Amino acid sequence: MKQLIRIAQLTDMHIGETDEDVYGSPVRMQFLSALNKLKKQNLDALILSGDLAANAGEYNSYVWIKEQLKELTCPIYICLGNHDRLENLKQVFNLNLENCHEDDYYFKTKIKEHLCLFLDTSPYFLSNQQMEWLKQQSIENKEEILLFMHHPPLYCGCTFMDEKYPLKNISDVWSVIKELKNVNYIFCGHYHTERTIIKDGKNVFLTPSTMAQFDNQTSEITILHRNPSWRIIEWDGETLRTSVEYFFLFTSL
Ligand SMILES: [Fe+2]
């Protein structure tokens, strides 16, 4: 058995350029509430899995986020969401240029002994180049791999998001992922909800946002609540334990 690691995943923070509310949420305060909880935990890594910025990769949003993260001592890894822009992220977070493949930012890393892959679905699709890379990584590395991507690679039974904002090449992506023998745990955001989908032997975990959570049963956008949330993942290479935590800032909308 390998060493146990503890990872936190924060997603869909939608931080604006100023302190003003975004989509009706005090996003900076919500993000800080989550972060302050995580700062007290013994983490091996923090994953920011996309939509860090409110709308379109606002530079000053990234500057503010980076400033808030500076006390954290663990490594931080970023996946892009559809509201992020690589050019600005690269500049502010000094992203490793070797991981920037034309317009895509994807990479692998070891967290302690454990291999993790990070994909870029920011244009609402996963490029063919990334699908080939993913297959290659799965073949070359015999160990179990944790996969992080902003958009879920399958429909999730969430009416509004499945109908309006799914990954555009979702069936192509799933046909690749379902064949990867050592990729069985996939961590996503984007849907602003907590859900686990098990299909073809794969476990897809949707992590709620720090900004707001959506109702999964309506076909129009409906906010269920605005309590910030994050995911904790514990992994020793054989057993995976994961849970979602909420900070109850609001008792009503
Ligand atoms: Fe998104």
Side-chain angles (χ1 to χ4, degrees):
M1 195 193 302
K2 292 183 181 174
Q3 197 175 1
L4 179 71
I5 52 169
R6 185 176 168 80
I7 302 171
Q9 180 194 6
L10 277 177
T11 196
D12 297 86
M13 297 89 92
H14 290 280
I15 301 297
E17 290 207 279
T18 68
D19 208 16
E20 286 178 11
D21 289 1
V22 174
Y23 308 119
S25 286
V27 288
R28 290 187 173 196
M29 186 264 275
Q30 289 166 297
F31 173 68
L32 289 176
S33 302
L35 192 62
N36 286 336
K37 288 283 171 191
L38 294 176
K39 278 180 186 168
K40 295 177 193 138
Q41 301 197 21
N42 200 9
L43 296 175
D44 295 302
L46 172 67
I47 317 286
L48 307 177
S49 61
D51 288 357
L52 284 69
N55 286 306
E58 293 87 343
Y59 186 90
N60 290 331
S61 303
Y62 295 148
V63 170
W64 184 84
I65 293 169
K66 191 178 179 200
E67 181 67 21
Q68 311 315 309
L69 295 171
K70 72 180 182 198
E71 280 174 41
L72 231 68
T73 51
C74 67
I76 297 168
Y77 301 102
I78 298 175
C79 302
L80 272 78
N82 45 292
H83 290 281
D84 293 311
R85 297 295 177 269
L86 183 55
E87 237 4 83
N88 287 346
L89 263 178
K90 243 191 315 200
Q91 282 184 44
V92 175
F93 285 91
N94 302 317
L95 299 183
N96 184 347
L97 296 180
E98 282 180 14
N99 298 335
C100 301
H101 310 267
E102 296 173 14
D103 293 333
D104 288 341
Y105 177 69
Y106 59 91
F107 59 99
K108 63 176 173 180
T109 195
K110 286 252 182 180
I111 299 176
K112 300 240 167 114
E113 306 160 86
H114 301 280
L115 184 60
C116 299
L117 304 183
F118 298 82
L119 300 177
D120 180 351
T121 57
S122 55
Y124 265 99
F125 62 87
L126 187 70
S127 61
N128 290 335
Q129 194 183 16
Q130 288 185 78
M131 287 195 261
E132 288 308 312
W133 178 79
L134 190 53
K135 284 192 242 178
Q136 201 57 38
Q137 291 305 316
S138 171
I139 293 165
E140 285 173 11
N141 298 283
K142 298 295 171 220
E143 64 187 289
E144 192 67 42
I145 297 169
L146 301 185
L147 178 63
F148 293 86
M149 57 196 293
H150 179 70
H151 292 76
L154 77 180
Y155 293 110
C156 301
C158 304
T159 310
F160 170 68
M161 292 301 281
D162 278 348
E163 286 176 358
K164 301 274 194 344
Y165 297 109
L167 198 59
K168 286 182 181 146
N169 57 346
I170 200 162
S171 47
D172 293 343
V173 174
W174 189 251
S175 66
V176 168
I177 287 180
K178 75 176 190 182
E179 300 301 331
L180 305 176
K181 295 198 168 25
N182 50 349
V183 178
N184 293 304
Y185 306 102
I186 302 145
F187 299 90
C188 308
H190 184 59
Y191 268 43
H192 291 246
T193 196
E194 174 187 351
R195 185 158 280 213
T196 302
I197 301 104
I198 301 175
K199 191 178 177 191
D200 298 327
K202 310 295 179 197
N203 304 277
V204 179
F205 301 100
L206 305 188
T207 298
S209 161
T210 61
M211 181 191 85
Q213 321 313 336
F214 298 160
D215 189 327
N216 293 325
Q217 297 181 340
T218 56
S219 46
E220 292 307 317
I221 187 166
T222 307
I223 290 177
L224 264 186
H225 67 83
R226 299 177 193 273
N227 294 304
S229 182
W230 58 91
R231 179 178 292 280
I232 300 292
I233 303 157
E234 291 181 325
W235 173 233
D236 64 9
E238 290 178 357
T239 308
L240 185 126
R241 178 185 295 178
T242 183
S243 58
V244 161
E245 298 180 353
Y246 290 88
F247 189 87
F248 287 94
L249 280 171
F250 309 101
T251 50
S252 67
L253 290 176

